Amino acid sequence: TDQWFVSMDKNSLRENALKAIENDVEWIPAWASNRIGSMVADRPDWCISRQRSWGVPIPVFKCAKCGSTVANEQTFDAVIDLFYREGADAWFTREPSEYLPRGVKCETCGCTELTPEKDILDVWWESGVSHTSVLKHREAEGLRFPADMYLEGSDQHRGWFQSSLLTSMGAYGVPPYKSVMHCGFTVDGEGRKMSKSLGNGVDPAEVMAKSGADVLRLWVASVDYSQDVSISDEILQRTSEAYRRIRNTFRFLLGSLDDFDDQKDAVSDWNALEPLDQWAMVRTKHLLDDVSAAYDAYKFHYVYRAVYDYIVNDLSAVYMDATKDRLYSEAPDSPRRRAVQTVLMNILEVLVRVLAPVLSFTTDEVWEHYPQAMRERAGRPTNVQLAGWPKASDFAPAIPADGERVSEDFGVIMGVREVVTKALEDARGQKVVNKSQEAAVVVTAPRAVLDAVERYDAAVFEELFIVASVSFVEGEELAATVSKTEAEKCPRCWNHRALGGNANYGSVCERCGDALDAIGFAEGE
């Protein structure tokens, strides 16, 4: 059977396509360039004809007398006009004499009787020229050629990605896209293809009805889409637990900021923040940098992992746990409490925006429950999707040029914290103390560690470790010993401190007495 072919080498199509793959297109993930490159390098000439009774015709004619092909500017223009008026089906219902101009004839023998080609185009050609039929054809509607990105399944390196590239390179000498992203396929928890016969499919509508759309969206963001991805009830259950962790973090942030007005209450001086606050600010900047880079690289599972690890390891386990005492026990307008709220406000502003593309409904709900003073401010965007991307330069107070030093110091201090945490667990197990607030901790540390910790007051470590007292001594190995403090327990904050420091309130610690003075509380009430 006679066939129609596109030569891969006659007009350097293969060579030009390989150069475009290597130099002109961003492949996501990057290794995909090797995949499509090897396919183009090894492929034979492209057979573009098919013997079918349906499809898009190959718009050429044959001489009824000598069988020569007739295809020129006149015939193509006539077919284009016919298809615009009546659609491609007219090829099969109209005679050539009805739409071809008079005078069109076989250039070989001069015969004017022409028959339409019966073969149809390969469907990959048909879809591959969407860069022309869609992008170029609709430029007035805002589309443009080349496309910013083509997105499809991983099998399309052999299909649509390749046919689009070859047709565009042949017609225009440039690739039809600036970047190409592929995704794998969704399989069940055991890695099997989903099918009706196996009954292992997962209906997105059922997932949303049971867990909500944001759980499904979070699962999508959590997987490496460049590979085949697994989904099952067990996997979705783990995703639901991660979602609740994120949602509860937002609840804590909103609850802690209920009385906060960033224009009146925020701490504006970096040095007015305590070291733990400064560390939290720098860590939030690091998170923003990591997440922004991951979004730019389309590595959404990196976004998920960075945010989740930050919430679990930095916020829940460290900062929010250590600063609850300041939030709950300081006077409402205490500079120390406002410092924590200032940091939490910055954290909220980052988290709600960077998670908006993933948890669209949850972040919108968070946006609607911001502190009242901010929620009712004129000019505030009505939806989180309109709020813009956060910038470290918008942090208030601004992180100074030497702000990274506190992060470097806390890299050492967090190592100390791990040792102290283990010592506290052992002490509780041995009934030395019941709670960490009862503990007096002595840390033995090498000089390199002491050089970092000695830049900070002992109160920094008492808050971070949530203990009664901390002292450091020099030694070769990092270690911690725990004993029970002799200080009394404050009945208001439950910390073990010296009581009676406030003249008006002899039964509580000085800090709590000052807080009671500030809120106008009379002892005995």
Side-chain angles (χ1 to χ4, degrees), residues 292-505:
S292 297
Y295 270 121
D296 288 343
Y298 304 102
K299 295 181 178 179
F300 308 120
H301 59 300
Y302 285 12
V303 173
Y304 166 81
R305 179 48 58 188
V307 170
Y308 185 76
D309 288 350
Y310 169 82
I311 285 175
V312 171
N313 298 327
D314 292 338
L315 277 189
S316 296
V318 180
Y319 188 69
M320 293 193 307
D321 193 36
T323 57
K324 283 178 182 176
D325 177 64
R326 270 194 274 166
L327 283 171
Y328 300 160
S329 300
E330 292 280 345
D333 287 327
S334 160
R336 298 189 71 232
R337 181 171 182 271
R338 293 304 191 193
V340 177
Q341 289 183 307
T342 299
V343 175
L344 294 180
M345 190 71 247
N346 282 279
I347 292 171
L348 176 61
E349 289 278 70
V350 168
L351 287 181
V352 75
R353 286 169 165 82
V354 301
L355 284 174
V358 178
L359 303 180
S360 304
F361 300 100
T362 301
T363 52
D364 189 36
E365 187 180 2
V366 170
W367 192 253
E368 293 174 351
H369 288 81
Y370 256 48
Q372 183 176 2
M374 302 178 66
R375 189 170 65 244
E376 297 177 353
R377 187 162 296 147
R380 180 176 183 264
T382 56
N383 189 285
V384 67
Q385 305 294 346
L386 305 175
W389 198 250
K391 300 177 183 177
S393 58
D394 294 334
F395 285 11
I399 299 175
D402 63 349
E404 288 291 337
R405 196 187 78 170
V406 70
S407 179
E408 295 170 2
D409 287 347
F410 267 74
V412 176
I413 292 168
M414 289 303 172
V416 176
R417 180 179 176 274
E418 288 183 14
V419 173
V420 171
T421 299
K422 179 62 169 61
L424 288 170
E425 291 176 358
D426 293 342
R428 280 194 291 266
Q430 297 167 9
K431 306 300 183 182
V432 175
V433 295
N434 292 320
K435 295 183 177 181
S436 65
Q437 289 96 327
E438 301 174 357
V441 178
V442 178
V443 178
T444 302
R447 172 43 53 188
V449 174
L450 294 179
D451 288 341
V453 301
E454 287 176 351
R455 284 193 276 269
Y456 304 96
D457 294 336
V460 172
F461 305 102
E462 292 170 4
E463 179 180 58
L464 178 61
F465 303 156
I466 316 178
V467 297
S469 64
V470 182
S471 60
F472 291 88
V473 295
E474 187 170 349
E476 294 184 2
E477 300 291 334
L478 184 59
T481 58
V482 176
S483 60
K484 188 169 183 177
T485 181
E486 295 181 358
E488 295 181 83
K489 177 182 176 181
C490 174
R492 181 173 182 270
C493 68
W494 293 13
N495 290 315
H496 287 253
R497 302 282 189 268
L499 305 184
N502 182 286
N504 295 325
Y505 301 95

Side-chain angles (χ1 to χ4, degrees), residues 8-9 12-25 27 33-43 162 165-166 169 175:
M8 290 298 297
D9 298 304
S12 302
L13 180 59
R14 189 192 314 275
E15 178 184 356
N16 294 336
L18 289 172
K19 287 180 180 177
I21 290 169
E22 181 69 24
N23 302 316
D24 301 332
V25 179
W27 299 93
S33 65
N34 297 327
R35 181 174 186 175
I36 190 172
S38 64
M39 291 179 177
V40 172
D42 297 335
R43 75 166 296 155
Q162 189 175 153
L165 176 67
L166 296 179
M169 294 301 300

Side-chain angles (χ1 to χ4, degrees), residues 206-382:
E206 292 181 4
V207 176
M208 289 187 287
K210 179 180 178 181
S211 305
D214 274 358
V215 169
L216 186 59
R217 295 176 66 92
L218 187 62
W219 169 79
V220 172
S222 70
V223 298
D224 180 2
Y225 59 80
S226 67
Q227 310 290 337
D228 288 353
V229 296
S230 298
I231 189 170
S232 65
D233 289 340
E234 181 182 352
I235 291 171
L236 288 170
Q237 180 59 39
R238 292 199 298 267
T239 305
S240 295
E241 292 169 3
Y243 169 77
R244 282 193 292 272
R245 194 72 178 263
I246 295 170
R247 184 179 180 88
N248 286 339
T249 298
F250 276 126
R251 288 169 60 88
F252 178 88
L253 292 170
L254 291 173
S256 300
L257 293 166
D258 184 60
D259 66 335
F260 188 74
D261 183 340
D262 61 327
Q263 291 187 350
K264 296 178 180 179
D265 303 322
V267 173
S268 58
D269 183 1
W270 174 259
N271 293 319
L273 298 178
E274 299 192 8
L276 184 57
D277 304 326
Q278 295 175 347
W279 168 79
M281 289 281 283
V282 175
R283 278 295 300 123
T284 304
K285 177 184 179 299
H286 292 169
L287 172 72
L288 177 57
D289 292 342
D290 292 344
V291 166
S292 297
Y295 270 121
D296 288 343
Y298 304 102
K299 295 181 178 179
F300 308 120
H301 59 300
Y302 285 12
V303 173
Y304 166 81
R305 179 48 58 188
V307 170
Y308 185 76
D309 288 350
Y310 169 82
I311 285 175
V312 171
N313 298 327
D314 292 338
L315 277 189
S316 296
V318 180
Y319 188 69
M320 293 193 307
D321 193 36
T323 57
K324 283 178 182 176
D325 177 64
R326 270 194 274 166
L327 283 171
Y328 300 160
S329 300
E330 292 280 345
D333 287 327
S334 160
R336 298 189 71 232
R337 181 171 182 271
R338 293 304 191 193
V340 177
Q341 289 183 307
T342 299
V343 175
L344 294 180
M345 190 71 247
N346 282 279
I347 292 171
L348 176 61
E349 289 278 70
V350 168
L351 287 181
V352 75
R353 286 169 165 82
V354 301
L355 284 174
V358 178
L359 303 180
S360 304
F361 300 100
T362 301
T363 52
D364 189 36
E365 187 180 2
V366 170
W367 192 253
E368 293 174 351
H369 288 81
Y370 256 48
Q372 183 176 2
M374 302 178 66
R375 189 170 65 244
E376 297 177 353
R377 187 162 296 147
R380 180 176 183 264
T382 56

Side-chain angles (χ1 to χ4, degrees), residues 60-204:
V60 299
F61 302 87
K62 287 187 177 181
C63 175
K65 182 177 181 181
C66 70
S68 297
T69 298
V70 179
N72 54 45
E73 188 173 349
Q74 280 184 303
T75 64
F76 284 132
D77 285 346
V79 173
I80 290 170
D81 179 66
L82 175 68
F83 284 9
Y84 265 125
R85 289 185 288 107
E86 301 184 25
D89 284 352
W91 182 263
F92 305 102
T93 59
R94 295 284 190 179
E95 293 295 328
S97 59
E98 296 181 61
Y99 55 85
L100 288 179
R102 288 188 178 184
V104 174
K105 60 185 179 181
C106 173
E107 297 174 0
T108 302
C109 69
C111 179
T112 58
E113 184 181 352
L114 305 178
T115 60
E117 172 65 65
K118 290 183 169 55
D119 287 354
I120 64 165
L121 281 165
D122 173 18
V123 292
W124 289 118
W125 177 286
E126 183 181 339
S127 62
V129 296
S130 56
H131 51 70
T132 298
S133 59
V134 177
L135 296 182
K136 283 182 170 289
H137 187 61
R138 299 181 184 175
E139 286 183 324
E141 301 173 28
L143 298 183
R144 58 180 178 267
F145 174 92
D148 291 322
M149 175 180 286
Y150 271 38
L151 169 64
E152 248 291 0
S154 54
D155 58 334
Q156 297 306 309
H157 291 287
R158 188 179 300 279
W160 185 51
F161 296 153
Q162 189 175 153
S163 64
S164 298
L165 176 67
L166 296 179
T167 54
S168 183
M169 294 301 300
Y172 309 114
V174 295
Y177 35 61
K178 299 175 184 177
S179 62
V180 173
M181 178 193 291
H182 81 246
C183 53
F185 293 87
T186 305
V187 296
D188 68 13
E190 298 177 11
R192 299 174 302 176
K193 180 181 177 181
M194 294 185 181
S195 67
K196 290 182 179 179
S197 60
L198 290 176
N200 61 343
V202 175
D203 187 345

